[in-house]
Short mmCIF file of all heavy atoms in Angstrom, two decimals:
data_model
loop_
_atom_site.label_atom_id
_atom_site.label_comp_id
_atom_site.label_asym_id
_atom_site.label_seq_id
_atom_site.Cartn_x
_atom_site.Cartn_y
_atom_site.Cartn_z
N LYS A 41 7.81 -7.93 4.93
CA LYS A 41 6.94 -6.98 4.20
C LYS A 41 6.76 -5.70 4.93
O LYS A 41 6.89 -4.63 4.32
CB LYS A 41 5.55 -7.70 4.07
CG LYS A 41 5.55 -9.02 3.34
CD LYS A 41 4.12 -9.50 2.98
CE LYS A 41 3.24 -9.58 4.15
NZ LYS A 41 3.63 -10.57 5.22
N SER A 42 6.51 -5.72 6.29
CA SER A 42 6.30 -4.50 6.98
C SER A 42 7.58 -3.68 6.98
O SER A 42 7.56 -2.41 6.95
CB SER A 42 5.88 -4.79 8.44
OG SER A 42 4.61 -5.45 8.50
N THR A 43 8.73 -4.28 7.10
CA THR A 43 9.99 -3.56 7.05
C THR A 43 10.16 -2.83 5.78
O THR A 43 10.64 -1.68 5.67
CB THR A 43 11.16 -4.53 7.31
OG1 THR A 43 11.02 -5.08 8.63
CG2 THR A 43 12.52 -3.74 7.31
N ILE A 44 9.80 -3.49 4.62
CA ILE A 44 9.90 -2.83 3.32
C ILE A 44 9.01 -1.59 3.28
O ILE A 44 9.44 -0.54 2.78
CB ILE A 44 9.50 -3.87 2.26
CG1 ILE A 44 10.68 -4.82 2.03
CG2 ILE A 44 9.16 -3.14 0.90
CD1 ILE A 44 10.38 -5.94 1.02
N ILE A 45 7.80 -1.65 3.82
CA ILE A 45 6.89 -0.51 3.85
C ILE A 45 7.51 0.60 4.62
O ILE A 45 7.52 1.76 4.22
CB ILE A 45 5.52 -0.87 4.48
CG1 ILE A 45 4.81 -1.83 3.58
CG2 ILE A 45 4.66 0.37 4.66
CD1 ILE A 45 3.54 -2.33 4.16
N LYS A 46 8.09 0.32 5.80
CA LYS A 46 8.70 1.30 6.69
C LYS A 46 9.93 1.97 6.01
O LYS A 46 10.20 3.16 6.21
CB LYS A 46 9.02 0.74 8.01
CG LYS A 46 7.84 0.38 8.86
CD LYS A 46 8.16 -0.32 10.17
CE LYS A 46 6.89 -0.63 10.98
NZ LYS A 46 7.23 -1.30 12.22
N LEU A 47 10.66 1.21 5.20
CA LEU A 47 11.77 1.79 4.46
C LEU A 47 11.26 2.71 3.35
O LEU A 47 11.82 3.76 3.13
CB LEU A 47 12.61 0.66 3.84
CG LEU A 47 13.50 -0.09 4.89
CD1 LEU A 47 14.05 -1.37 4.23
CD2 LEU A 47 14.65 0.71 5.40
N ILE A 48 10.27 2.26 2.63
CA ILE A 48 9.74 3.07 1.56
C ILE A 48 9.15 4.44 2.10
O ILE A 48 9.37 5.49 1.40
CB ILE A 48 8.64 2.34 0.82
CG1 ILE A 48 9.24 1.20 -0.01
CG2 ILE A 48 7.89 3.24 -0.15
CD1 ILE A 48 8.26 0.23 -0.68
N THR A 49 8.55 4.40 3.23
CA THR A 49 7.95 5.65 3.77
C THR A 49 8.90 6.52 4.61
O THR A 49 8.54 7.57 5.11
CB THR A 49 6.68 5.31 4.62
OG1 THR A 49 7.15 4.45 5.71
CG2 THR A 49 5.65 4.62 3.80
N GLY A 50 10.18 6.03 4.75
CA GLY A 50 11.18 6.79 5.50
C GLY A 50 11.10 6.64 6.97
O GLY A 50 11.78 7.35 7.74
N GLU A 51 10.29 5.70 7.47
CA GLU A 51 10.18 5.41 8.91
C GLU A 51 11.45 4.81 9.42
O GLU A 51 11.85 4.99 10.53
CB GLU A 51 8.97 4.58 9.21
CG GLU A 51 8.71 4.41 10.73
CD GLU A 51 7.43 3.60 10.99
OE1 GLU A 51 6.57 3.52 10.11
OE2 GLU A 51 7.34 3.02 12.12
N LEU A 52 12.09 3.97 8.57
CA LEU A 52 13.36 3.33 8.90
C LEU A 52 14.38 3.68 7.81
O LEU A 52 14.03 4.02 6.69
CB LEU A 52 13.16 1.80 8.89
CG LEU A 52 12.21 1.22 9.93
CD1 LEU A 52 12.13 -0.31 9.70
CD2 LEU A 52 12.73 1.52 11.38
N LYS A 53 15.66 3.45 8.16
CA LYS A 53 16.73 3.52 7.20
C LYS A 53 17.40 2.18 7.14
O LYS A 53 17.41 1.46 8.14
CB LYS A 53 17.77 4.58 7.59
CG LYS A 53 17.29 6.02 7.45
CD LYS A 53 18.44 6.99 7.67
CE LYS A 53 18.01 8.45 7.46
NZ LYS A 53 19.11 9.42 7.64
N PRO A 54 17.90 1.81 5.92
CA PRO A 54 18.55 0.50 5.84
C PRO A 54 19.87 0.44 6.58
O PRO A 54 20.57 1.46 6.72
CB PRO A 54 18.84 0.36 4.33
CG PRO A 54 18.93 1.81 3.80
CD PRO A 54 17.97 2.58 4.69
N THR A 55 20.20 -0.78 7.15
CA THR A 55 21.43 -0.94 7.81
C THR A 55 22.57 -0.89 6.76
O THR A 55 23.64 -0.39 7.04
CB THR A 55 21.45 -2.35 8.52
OG1 THR A 55 20.32 -2.33 9.43
CG2 THR A 55 22.72 -2.50 9.30
N SER A 56 22.34 -1.53 5.64
CA SER A 56 23.27 -1.42 4.49
C SER A 56 22.47 -1.55 3.25
O SER A 56 21.32 -1.99 3.24
CB SER A 56 24.38 -2.48 4.58
OG SER A 56 23.80 -3.78 4.50
N GLY A 57 23.10 -1.28 2.06
CA GLY A 57 22.42 -1.25 0.81
C GLY A 57 21.77 0.05 0.52
O GLY A 57 21.89 1.04 1.28
N THR A 58 21.08 0.18 -0.60
CA THR A 58 20.49 1.46 -0.95
C THR A 58 18.98 1.26 -1.29
O THR A 58 18.58 0.25 -1.79
CB THR A 58 21.15 2.04 -2.22
OG1 THR A 58 21.04 1.10 -3.35
CG2 THR A 58 22.64 2.28 -2.00
N VAL A 59 18.26 2.33 -0.93
CA VAL A 59 16.80 2.34 -1.23
C VAL A 59 16.49 3.66 -1.85
O VAL A 59 16.78 4.76 -1.31
CB VAL A 59 15.92 2.19 0.05
CG1 VAL A 59 14.45 2.32 -0.24
CG2 VAL A 59 16.25 0.91 0.75
N HIS A 60 15.96 3.66 -3.07
CA HIS A 60 15.52 4.88 -3.81
C HIS A 60 14.06 4.83 -4.00
O HIS A 60 13.49 3.87 -4.49
CB HIS A 60 16.28 5.01 -5.10
CG HIS A 60 17.72 5.17 -5.00
ND1 HIS A 60 18.62 4.21 -5.31
CD2 HIS A 60 18.49 6.26 -4.58
CE1 HIS A 60 19.85 4.64 -5.06
NE2 HIS A 60 19.79 5.89 -4.64
N VAL A 61 13.37 5.92 -3.58
CA VAL A 61 11.90 6.04 -3.69
C VAL A 61 11.58 7.45 -4.22
O VAL A 61 11.83 8.39 -3.60
CB VAL A 61 11.20 5.85 -2.35
CG1 VAL A 61 9.69 6.03 -2.45
CG2 VAL A 61 11.56 4.48 -1.73
N ASN A 62 10.98 7.43 -5.48
CA ASN A 62 10.54 8.66 -6.05
C ASN A 62 11.58 9.81 -6.02
O ASN A 62 11.27 10.95 -5.71
CB ASN A 62 9.22 9.15 -5.38
CG ASN A 62 8.10 8.14 -5.60
OD1 ASN A 62 8.09 7.38 -6.55
ND2 ASN A 62 7.17 8.14 -4.67
N GLY A 63 12.84 9.42 -6.35
CA GLY A 63 13.90 10.43 -6.39
C GLY A 63 14.60 10.69 -5.04
O GLY A 63 15.61 11.48 -5.05
N TYR A 64 14.25 10.08 -3.98
CA TYR A 64 14.86 10.24 -2.70
C TYR A 64 15.75 9.00 -2.38
O TYR A 64 15.30 7.86 -2.66
CB TYR A 64 13.84 10.42 -1.60
CG TYR A 64 13.08 11.65 -1.63
CD1 TYR A 64 11.86 11.74 -2.38
CD2 TYR A 64 13.54 12.82 -1.01
CE1 TYR A 64 11.13 12.91 -2.42
CE2 TYR A 64 12.77 14.03 -1.09
CZ TYR A 64 11.59 14.03 -1.82
OH TYR A 64 10.91 15.21 -1.84
N SER A 65 16.95 9.24 -1.85
CA SER A 65 17.78 8.17 -1.40
C SER A 65 17.56 7.96 0.09
O SER A 65 17.94 8.84 0.90
CB SER A 65 19.27 8.54 -1.67
OG SER A 65 19.56 8.62 -3.09
N LEU A 66 16.93 6.85 0.45
CA LEU A 66 16.48 6.68 1.83
C LEU A 66 17.62 6.43 2.84
O LEU A 66 17.48 6.74 4.06
CB LEU A 66 15.46 5.54 1.94
CG LEU A 66 13.98 5.88 1.62
CD1 LEU A 66 13.48 6.94 2.62
CD2 LEU A 66 13.86 6.45 0.22
N GLU A 67 18.72 5.97 2.39
CA GLU A 67 19.86 5.81 3.28
C GLU A 67 20.53 7.11 3.65
O GLU A 67 21.27 7.24 4.67
CB GLU A 67 20.92 4.83 2.73
CG GLU A 67 21.64 5.32 1.54
CD GLU A 67 20.91 5.16 0.18
OE1 GLU A 67 19.73 4.79 0.24
OE2 GLU A 67 21.50 5.44 -0.86
N ARG A 68 20.25 8.19 2.85
CA ARG A 68 20.90 9.47 3.12
C ARG A 68 19.86 10.57 3.35
O ARG A 68 20.21 11.74 3.51
CB ARG A 68 21.76 9.88 1.91
CG ARG A 68 22.88 8.91 1.64
CD ARG A 68 23.90 9.59 0.65
NE ARG A 68 23.24 10.01 -0.57
CZ ARG A 68 23.16 9.24 -1.71
NH1 ARG A 68 23.64 8.03 -1.68
NH2 ARG A 68 22.59 9.69 -2.78
N ILE A 69 18.59 10.26 3.41
CA ILE A 69 17.57 11.28 3.49
C ILE A 69 17.64 12.06 4.79
O ILE A 69 17.93 11.50 5.89
CB ILE A 69 16.16 10.65 3.32
CG1 ILE A 69 15.11 11.74 3.06
CG2 ILE A 69 15.76 9.80 4.51
CD1 ILE A 69 13.81 11.20 2.58
N ARG A 70 17.47 13.36 4.71
CA ARG A 70 17.52 14.20 5.92
C ARG A 70 16.10 14.23 6.55
O ARG A 70 15.08 14.05 5.85
CB ARG A 70 17.91 15.61 5.58
CG ARG A 70 19.36 15.68 5.01
CD ARG A 70 19.70 17.04 4.55
NE ARG A 70 21.03 17.13 3.97
CZ ARG A 70 21.57 18.18 3.45
NH1 ARG A 70 20.84 19.31 3.30
NH2 ARG A 70 22.85 18.19 2.91
N LYS A 71 16.10 14.46 7.85
CA LYS A 71 14.84 14.43 8.57
C LYS A 71 13.85 15.40 7.98
O LYS A 71 12.62 15.12 7.89
CB LYS A 71 15.09 14.73 10.03
CG LYS A 71 13.89 14.44 10.95
CD LYS A 71 14.25 14.59 12.40
CE LYS A 71 13.07 14.26 13.33
NZ LYS A 71 13.44 14.36 14.75
N ARG A 72 14.28 16.53 7.57
CA ARG A 72 13.33 17.57 7.07
C ARG A 72 12.77 17.23 5.68
O ARG A 72 11.83 17.85 5.23
CB ARG A 72 14.07 18.93 7.00
CG ARG A 72 15.18 19.09 6.00
CD ARG A 72 15.68 20.49 5.96
NE ARG A 72 16.78 20.68 4.96
CZ ARG A 72 18.06 20.53 5.24
NH1 ARG A 72 18.46 20.28 6.48
NH2 ARG A 72 18.96 20.76 4.32
N GLU A 73 13.47 16.24 5.01
CA GLU A 73 12.96 15.83 3.70
C GLU A 73 11.87 14.76 3.74
O GLU A 73 11.17 14.56 2.75
CB GLU A 73 14.16 15.32 2.89
CG GLU A 73 15.22 16.35 2.47
CD GLU A 73 16.35 15.73 1.71
OE1 GLU A 73 16.92 14.76 2.21
OE2 GLU A 73 16.63 16.26 0.62
N VAL A 74 11.81 14.09 4.91
CA VAL A 74 10.91 12.92 5.02
C VAL A 74 9.37 13.32 4.72
O VAL A 74 8.71 12.58 4.01
CB VAL A 74 11.01 12.23 6.37
CG1 VAL A 74 9.95 11.19 6.59
CG2 VAL A 74 12.43 11.62 6.50
N PRO A 75 8.92 14.48 5.25
CA PRO A 75 7.52 14.84 4.94
C PRO A 75 7.30 15.00 3.44
O PRO A 75 6.21 14.71 2.97
CB PRO A 75 7.35 16.17 5.70
CG PRO A 75 8.28 16.11 6.83
CD PRO A 75 9.53 15.39 6.24
#
Side-chain angles (χ1 to χ4, degrees):
K41 304 188 305 296
S42 294
T43 300
I44 285 176
I45 294 174
K46 291 176 180 179
L47 286 168
I48 290 173
T49 59
E51 185 175 340
L52 297 175
K53 289 188 177 183
T55 303
S56 63
T58 62
V59 179
H60 294 107
V61 178
N62 297 335
Y64 293 90
S65 296
L66 275 297
E67 68 278 7
R68 299 194 303 268
I69 194 168
R70 297 174 181 176
K71 192 172 182 178
R72 67 173 181 269
E73 294 178 307
V74 173

